[in-house]
Amino acid sequence: MPSAEAMSNIAVLERFHSATNSGEMDLVAKAVDDLTAPDLVFHAPVPMGATGAEALKRVWEALLRAFPDLHVTIEETVAEGDRVVSRNTVTGTHLGEYRGLPPTGKPVSYGEIFIFRFEDGRIAEIRGVVDVLTQLRQVGALPS
């Protein structure tokens, strides 16, 4: 059974996912402000020209602009000490510009794994691996 600290960290992560699944950028931005450390270290899978919480917000702005119905389903969570690992399936419909590609109306479904490190009950560091190759193939940016 996970420790009280691990359970608390999982609850924070679930609150964050709830905000991202709302599709409302205002709620996502508020969750970033409320649930991440002021000096968040965010290792983005794509360069965003920003760091920390601002980079995280920019990633979500780009994703929600491109996939307004984006939904992250948590498939598996492992927590120990100050770390939570989340394996997710992301789904959505390509309805806005993404990486220079105009909207295609095509659905996407791809996997990702993120490691979150917590300090004082807030997300302090995020590292992730996102299956961008599958995502880009599904919107037609790359051959299958």
Side-chain angles (χ1 to χ4, degrees):
M1 173 144 208
S3 68
E5 175 189 22
M7 293 302 291
S8 176
N9 292 342
I10 291 170
V12 169
L13 186 56
E14 288 173 347
R15 286 179 48 209
F16 182 74
H17 276 119
S18 178
T20 61
N21 284 335
S22 74
E24 299 291 329
M25 192 55 218
D26 290 345
L27 291 177
V28 174
K30 182 169 178 11
V32 170
D33 290 340
D34 292 349
L35 303 175
T36 66
D39 57 349
L40 171 72
V41 178
F42 178 51
H43 306 278
V46 293
M48 295 304 298
T51 58
E54 188 59 34
L56 185 57
K57 289 177 187 178
R58 286 189 189 178
V59 165
W60 279 102
E61 286 170 356
L63 286 170
L64 291 175
R65 183 174 49 250
F67 308 97
D69 61 344
L70 189 92
H71 185 82
V72 178
T73 301
I74 300 171
E75 304 291 351
E76 184 176 9
T77 303
V78 177
E80 185 175 321
D82 65 349
R83 304 242 194 295
V84 177
V85 177
S86 180
R87 182 179 61 82
N88 311 314
T89 299
V90 181
T91 57
T93 310
H94 183 215
L95 299 175
E97 180 277 327
Y98 185 65
R99 296 180 179 238
L101 183 68
T104 62
K106 294 181 178 181
V108 297
S109 179
Y110 58 92
E112 64 182 18
I113 297 174
F114 278 89
I115 302 170
F116 299 87
R117 184 177 58 78
F118 289 78
E119 283 179 11
D120 300 321
R122 297 175 88 175
I123 300 167
E125 184 174 10
I126 302 172
R127 292 183 181 273
V129 177
V130 177
D131 187 358
V132 177
L133 180 62
T134 294
Q135 177 196 66
L136 293 175
R137 282 182 172 155
Q138 290 173 354
V139 297
L142 298 172
S144 296

